[in-house]
Amino acid sequence: MKRVEEKSNLIVLRNTREDDLDFVVNSEREPVNAKYVGQWTREQHRNALHEEDILHLIVEDRTTQKPAGYVIIAGVTNPNRNIEFMRVVISSKGKGFGRETLKLVKKITFKNLNAHRLWLDVRYKNQIAQNLYKSEGFIEEGILRECILYDGNYESLIVMSILKNEYTDNLDS
């Protein structure tokens, strides 16, 4: 497992530990988050901690040193250097942690992992996240129509990406 500890003025991104898993699972299941992210079992998260191709990271509030969210980055060993920003959940909302997390994920992806492309998918109905990704340089690539079954309804996903040559390191840390 690749060791990660990246800091900004607001947050620290660090490797998830076994004792973080209750926080991870509970955050994912909070109703405000569950409608936008996939749901894993504790065991799936535990397995991801030891997966060579995945970075499972905690977003820690730099002031309180308590978890404020988590991130899953997949495709770390992809030979095409295409890395997926698979999941982000921020529990402490309205503090700028989401934007800071995205900036640090881009830094890790392009500087530490030498990726060519960072991509993600976002639920069509999640306008706040889409606006954040666009403001941080992500370009919409297309729509995966009605590919997620959530709460008895099919939802579409928007695929977005940013390339290494489009990335700028704009952290104020």
Side-chain angles (χ1 to χ4, degrees):
M1 166 184 25
K2 185 168 179 52
R3 289 262 144 235
V4 173
E5 185 171 352
E6 287 291 338
K7 299 176 181 180
S8 77
N9 291 332
L10 291 177
I11 63 168
V12 175
L13 268 187
R14 64 160 173 83
N15 294 86
T16 304
R17 299 183 301 253
E18 187 88 23
D19 64 348
D20 294 315
L21 291 179
D22 284 340
F23 167 80
V24 167
V25 171
N26 291 336
S27 296
E28 191 169 86
R29 285 173 177 46
E30 289 173 7
V32 69
N33 297 324
K35 62 184 173 182
Y36 296 124
V37 299
Q39 304 292 300
W40 278 6
T41 64
R42 183 185 174 88
E43 193 61 28
Q44 286 172 300
H45 282 288
R46 180 182 291 117
N47 291 340
L49 299 183
H50 308 289
E51 182 69 42
E52 181 187 359
D53 199 45
I54 291 178
L55 278 178
H56 200 300
L57 306 172
I58 288 292
V59 179
E60 203 171 77
D61 181 327
R62 196 154 176 185
T63 305
T64 67
Q65 298 182 328
K66 295 202 181 320
Y70 78 93
V71 171
I72 301 174
I73 301 170
V76 173
T77 61
N78 182 305
N80 298 307
R81 297 177 24 228
N82 280 271
I83 293 181
E84 178 184 6
F85 188 20
M86 184 177 198
R87 190 169 305 165
V88 58
V89 171
I90 302 296
S91 291
S92 301
K93 299 192 188 310
K95 298 179 179 177
F97 293 162
R99 183 174 301 277
E100 283 300 287
T101 298
L102 186 52
K103 288 178 181 182
L104 287 179
V105 165
K106 291 188 300 183
K107 181 179 180 184
I108 290 166
T109 301
F110 293 120
K111 292 195 169 186
N112 302 9
L113 301 175
N114 193 30
H116 170 69
R117 177 175 174 266
L118 175 63
W119 70 276
L120 57 85
D121 57 52
V122 57
R123 304 249 175 135
Y124 188 81
K125 66 182 181 184
N126 193 348
Q127 289 295 314
I128 292 171
Q130 289 174 49
N131 291 337
L132 172 62
Y133 298 139
K134 287 176 186 170
S135 75
E136 286 295 323
F138 282 77
I139 306 295
E140 188 176 320
E141 294 184 342
I143 297 175
L144 302 172
R145 299 180 314 144
E146 297 187 2
C147 60
I148 300 287
L149 182 60
Y150 175 75
D151 207 18
N153 297 303
Y154 283 97
E155 298 182 8
S156 298
L157 293 174
I158 296 176
V159 177
M160 302 178 84
S161 73
I162 184 170
L163 303 178
K164 186 171 190 165
N165 66 0
E166 298 164 337
Y167 165 72
T168 56
D169 184 353
N170 57 354
L171 282 168
D172 343 285
S173 50

